[in-house]
Amino acid sequence: SVGGLGTSEAPGAARRALVEACVSEFPRHKPVHVAGVSAPLEAIAMIEAGVDLLDNAFCHGATLAGKALRFPVDEADARAGGFDDDAFPPTMDGSWKETDEDTARRDAFLFSGADAFSLNLWSLKYRTDTRPLLENCECHTCRNHTRAYVHHLLQCREMTASVLLDAHNQFHFLRFFAAARDGDFVGGRARVR
């Protein structure tokens, strides 16, 4: 097990080199665990560095912030594109000059509190949104509840909001790890130890 990561050090080449150096010293027939690193892009980097087990704190952190995970987890999701109509960045005309429409879309996106990985369901933008947290998601929350409902629960400080968000976030992240095990995660490649 590699510990001591995820304590405010910068992710990137230095962390990856450290993990690779540790993994190279471990017996190859034993699983390798890294604690403290679990964001999607960090997880991909750790998997490619030879890590087998990661914690799942990223999901619960998103839940505590009132966020629903929404990022493509496999090649089928990536090919589908337009994961949500909240997707960003806006289409550019090739000149790399932002149009007024691009600026308005970017500002609305940032105001919503969304990012590349999640929707901020605290945002008033979702108070009347009758879509599931993530289109085509098969989790209990997405099959039975809307963004507006979860937003309402958050606003009322109802504990059920965390239960529904955690159910969705765990389901989505487990899909991500299933794709990683199959070598089908976005931008990934299978790793053989």
Side-chain angles (χ1 to χ4, degrees), residues 16 20 44-45 47-49 75 179-192:
R16 184 171 177 156
E20 287 174 346
I44 291 170
I47 291 166
E48 290 177 344
E75 293 300 330
R181 275 191 302 278
D182 294 341
D184 190 33
F185 61 96
V186 177
R189 57 187 179 272
R191 179 182 60 82
V192 178

Coordinates of all heavy atoms in Angstrom, one line a residue, residues 16 20 44-45 47-49 75 179-192:
R16 N 3.2 10.8 -10.1 CA 3.1 9.5 -10.8 C 4.5 8.8 -10.8 O 4.6 7.6 -10.6 CB 2.8 9.8 -12.3 CG 2.7 8.5 -13.1 CD 2.1 8.7 -14.4 NE 2.1 7.5 -15.1 CZ 1.3 7.2 -16.1 NH1 0.4 8.1 -16.5 NH2 1.4 6.0 -16.7
E20 N 5.1 5.1 -9.4 CA 5.7 4.1 -10.3 C 7.0 3.5 -9.6 O 7.2 2.3 -9.6 CB 6.1 4.7 -11.6 CG 4.9 4.9 -12.5 CD 5.2 5.6 -13.8 OE1 6.3 6.2 -13.9 OE2 4.3 5.6 -14.7
I44 N -7.1 7.3 -13.4 CA -6.6 6.8 -14.6 C -5.0 6.8 -14.6 O -4.4 5.8 -14.9 CB -7.1 7.6 -15.8 CG1 -8.6 7.3 -16.0 CG2 -6.3 7.2 -17.1 CD1 -9.2 8.3 -17.0
A45 N -4.5 7.9 -14.1 CA -3.0 7.9 -14.0 C -2.5 6.8 -13.0 O -1.4 6.2 -13.3 CB -2.6 9.3 -13.5
I47 N -3.9 3.9 -12.3 CA -4.1 2.6 -12.9 C -3.0 2.4 -13.9 O -2.4 1.3 -14.0 CB -5.5 2.5 -13.6 CG1 -6.6 2.5 -12.6 CG2 -5.6 1.3 -14.5 CD1 -8.0 2.8 -13.1
E48 N -2.7 3.4 -14.7 CA -1.6 3.3 -15.7 C -0.2 3.1 -15.1 O 0.7 2.6 -15.7 CB -1.6 4.4 -16.7 CG -2.9 4.4 -17.6 CD -3.0 5.6 -18.5 OE1 -2.3 6.6 -18.3 OE2 -3.7 5.5 -19.5
A49 N -0.1 3.6 -13.8 CA 1.2 3.4 -13.1 C 1.3 2.1 -12.4 O 2.3 1.8 -11.8 CB 1.3 4.6 -12.0
E75 N -15.9 4.1 -23.9 CA -15.9 4.5 -25.3 C -17.3 4.8 -25.8 O -17.5 5.7 -26.6 CB -15.1 3.5 -26.1 CG -13.6 3.5 -25.8 CD -12.9 4.8 -26.0 OE1 -13.2 5.6 -26.8 OE2 -11.9 5.0 -25.2
A179 N -15.2 -0.1 -16.4 CA -14.6 0.2 -17.7 C -13.1 0.2 -17.6 O -12.4 -0.3 -18.5 CB -15.1 1.6 -18.2
A180 N -12.5 0.7 -16.5 CA -11.1 0.6 -16.3 C -10.6 -0.8 -16.2 O -9.6 -1.2 -16.8 CB -10.7 1.4 -15.0
R181 N -11.3 -1.7 -15.5 CA -10.9 -3.1 -15.5 C -11.0 -3.8 -16.8 O -10.1 -4.6 -17.2 CB -11.9 -3.9 -14.5 CG -11.5 -3.8 -13.1 CD -12.3 -4.8 -12.3 NE -13.7 -4.6 -12.3 CZ -14.4 -3.7 -11.6 NH1 -13.8 -2.9 -10.8 NH2 -15.7 -3.6 -11.8
D182 N -11.9 -3.3 -17.7 CA -12.0 -3.9 -19.0 C -11.1 -3.2 -20.0 O -11.0 -3.6 -21.2 CB -13.5 -3.7 -19.5 CG -14.5 -4.6 -18.7 OD1 -14.0 -5.5 -18.1 OD2 -15.7 -4.3 -18.8
G183 N -10.4 -2.2 -19.6 CA -9.5 -1.4 -20.5 C -10.3 -0.6 -21.4 O -9.8 -0.2 -22.5
D184 N -11.5 -0.3 -21.1 CA -12.4 0.5 -22.0 C -12.7 1.9 -21.5 O -13.5 2.6 -22.1 CB -13.7 -0.3 -22.2 CG -14.6 0.3 -23.3 OD1 -14.1 0.8 -24.3 OD2 -15.9 0.3 -23.1
F185 N -12.0 2.4 -20.5 CA -12.3 3.7 -20.1 C -11.8 4.7 -21.0 O -10.8 4.5 -21.8 CB -11.8 4.0 -18.6 CG -10.3 3.8 -18.4 CD1 -9.5 5.0 -18.5 CD2 -9.7 2.6 -18.2 CE1 -8.1 4.9 -18.3 CE2 -8.4 2.5 -18.0 CZ -7.6 3.6 -18.0
V186 N -12.4 5.9 -21.0 CA -12.1 6.9 -22.0 C -10.6 7.3 -22.0 O -10.1 7.7 -20.9 CB -12.9 8.2 -21.8 CG1 -12.6 9.3 -22.8 CG2 -14.4 7.8 -21.9
G187 N -9.9 7.2 -23.1 CA -8.5 7.5 -23.2 C -7.6 6.5 -22.6 O -6.4 6.6 -22.5
G188 N -8.2 5.4 -22.1 CA -7.4 4.4 -21.4 C -6.8 3.3 -22.2 O -7.2 3.2 -23.4
R189 N -6.0 2.5 -21.7 CA -5.5 1.3 -22.3 C -5.4 0.2 -21.3 O -5.2 0.5 -20.1 CB -4.2 1.5 -23.0 CG -3.1 2.0 -22.1 CD -1.9 2.4 -22.9 NE -0.9 2.9 -22.1 CZ -0.7 4.2 -21.7 NH1 -1.6 5.1 -22.1 NH2 0.3 4.6 -20.9
A190 N -5.6 -1.0 -21.7 CA -5.5 -2.1 -20.7 C -4.1 -2.2 -20.2 O -3.2 -2.0 -20.9 CB -6.0 -3.4 -21.4
R191 N -4.0 -2.6 -18.9 CA -2.7 -2.7 -18.3 C -2.6 -4.2 -17.8 O -3.5 -4.7 -17.2 CB -2.7 -1.8 -17.1 CG -1.4 -1.9 -16.3 CD -1.3 -1.1 -15.1 NE -2.4 -1.4 -14.2 CZ -2.3 -2.4 -13.3 NH1 -1.3 -3.1 -13.3 NH2 -3.3 -2.6 -12.5
V192 N -1.6 -4.8 -18.2 CA -1.3 -6.2 -17.8 C -0.2 -6.2 -16.8 O 0.9 -5.7 -17.1 CB -1.0 -7.1 -19.0 CG1 -0.8 -8.5 -18.5 CG2 -2.2 -7.0 -20.0

